[in-house]
Amino acid sequence: MQNASKDTDAALVNKVLQLRKLLTKKDFLGARKLADSIAYANTGEPERAMACFEQALLAAPENPLLHLNLAHAYTQRGDIERAQRAYKSASALDPNLPGAHTGLANLAVMEGKLSQAEELFRTALRADANDVPALLGLGHLLADRNELA
């Protein structure tokens, strides 16, 4: 049993080493800042989270998850214009990222642009048919319009 554990540990170490080779220093810094940002956001320190997200974007501007999480932070602060830009950046970098479309859809709902919101929720669901926020958003939108069967 101990040999199996050592084999598993060795395989895990090899996998980590392979992944490290694939990551550039900038990717690693961006991932670390993303983790820090999420931690600050989850502990109620939005200003520190924003600073970390912005630093992470300097390290890895092509990372759609950084743009997505920054957009969420902007939305929480009520900075709708910046949130829209960040969601659009995330979507441009990864068109199959449902969270970017769902975020834009939620902003569209806030602005009363319900047709646009519906299309964005549906775009998110084309990217991931099981995306819970998009399913809930579309469901609420259709329920409010009495269009649920």
Side-chain angles (χ1 to χ4, degrees):
M1 185 71 156
Q2 205 166 4
N3 283 342
S5 178
K6 285 183 181 178
D7 290 342
T8 304
D9 290 346
L12 182 59
V13 168
N14 281 334
K15 186 71 168 173
V16 169
L17 291 174
Q18 289 173 351
L19 289 171
R20 284 191 73 194
K21 287 179 186 176
L22 295 175
L23 292 173
T24 66
K25 185 176 181 181
K26 286 176 72 173
D27 292 334
F28 178 76
L29 291 173
R32 182 168 174 217
K33 285 294 182 186
L34 174 59
D36 290 346
S37 301
I38 292 170
Y40 287 131
N42 288 335
T43 58
E45 298 183 63
E47 295 308 316
R48 288 182 80 179
M50 296 290 292
C52 282
F53 282 130
E54 289 166 354
Q55 289 174 357
L57 277 171
L58 293 175
E62 68 291 334
N63 184 327
L65 294 178
L66 290 173
H67 291 275
L68 178 64
N69 283 285
L70 183 61
H72 292 325
Y74 284 138
T75 301
Q76 288 177 337
R77 280 185 35 188
D79 192 339
I80 303 307
E81 187 176 311
R82 282 186 174 166
Q84 285 176 331
R85 282 198 309 265
Y87 282 128
K88 287 178 182 179
S89 294
S91 177
L93 290 165
D94 183 355
N96 293 315
L97 186 63
H101 303 294
T102 300
L104 285 168
N106 287 326
L107 295 179
V109 168
M110 290 168 52
E111 295 177 328
K113 299 176 181 176
L114 303 183
S115 296
Q116 180 182 4
E118 180 180 351
E119 183 53 39
L120 287 162
F121 283 130
R122 292 184 186 281
T123 300
L125 291 169
R126 282 192 292 276
D128 179 357
N130 297 312
D131 184 67
V132 173
L135 287 167
L136 289 172
L138 183 59
H140 287 298
L141 187 69
L142 295 176
D144 289 346
R145 294 191 333 214
N146 295 316
E147 292 184 23
L148 286 179

